Amino acid sequence: MSGDDRGALLRRGRTHRTVRQEEAHLATAATDALTVESLPTPYDVEETVTRPLNEHEREHLSMCEQALHGFRRSVIVAGKALEVINRGRLYRETHRTFVEYLDDVWEIRKSQAYRMIEAWPVAAAVSPIGDVNEGQARELRPVFQKYGQEAAVALYR
């Protein structure tokens, strides 16, 4: 969201939280539209090139960063989805255990799935727009559990 768009939202009386939610929505919408086909084909540039990025390269950088932001956010969303499947035993029609389901359907190790499950509530609490990764959330988890959300948010900032 550009500074002008953000300012317009603020002038209309929206709170900082609402602006952040709007930014998250726009970022998610932009990321959802990205596909492998829509990203530029990888290309090489001589290591000796020191000129600033041209408009075309800036556009490529922006698209690739949007894709990476979507990846970061998707890890947290996937953690919540895995928790819903696990706790609700939503795998029970096709698999005897959650671990069998993970192995068979998603090829995810049990340890990775549980790290994602443990990380998502912390990540969602400290950064509603999803700009925290699983590793950061994992590091903040002990603070979140022992001292609460406010302490984890303060430490993250």
Side-chain angles (χ1 to χ4, degrees), residues 1 33-34 113 123:
M1 174 176 286
L34 290 175

Side-chain angles (χ1 to χ4, degrees), residues 38-90:
S38 69
L39 289 173
T41 301
Y43 53 90
D44 294 319
V45 174
E46 295 291 325
E47 287 186 36
T48 57
V49 172
T50 58
R51 65 168 169 68
L53 298 178
N54 62 37
E55 188 175 322
H56 194 66
E57 291 169 322
R58 279 194 189 89
E59 194 174 295
H60 288 175
L61 177 62
S62 176
M63 289 175 67
C64 291
E65 287 178 342
Q66 285 177 2
L68 291 167
H69 178 71
F71 169 73
R72 180 183 282 171
R73 183 174 177 77
S74 70
V75 170
I76 305 308
V77 171
K80 184 176 183 180
L82 286 169
E83 184 171 9
V84 170
I85 292 167
N86 184 28
R87 291 180 58 186
R89 298 188 60 238
L90 302 180

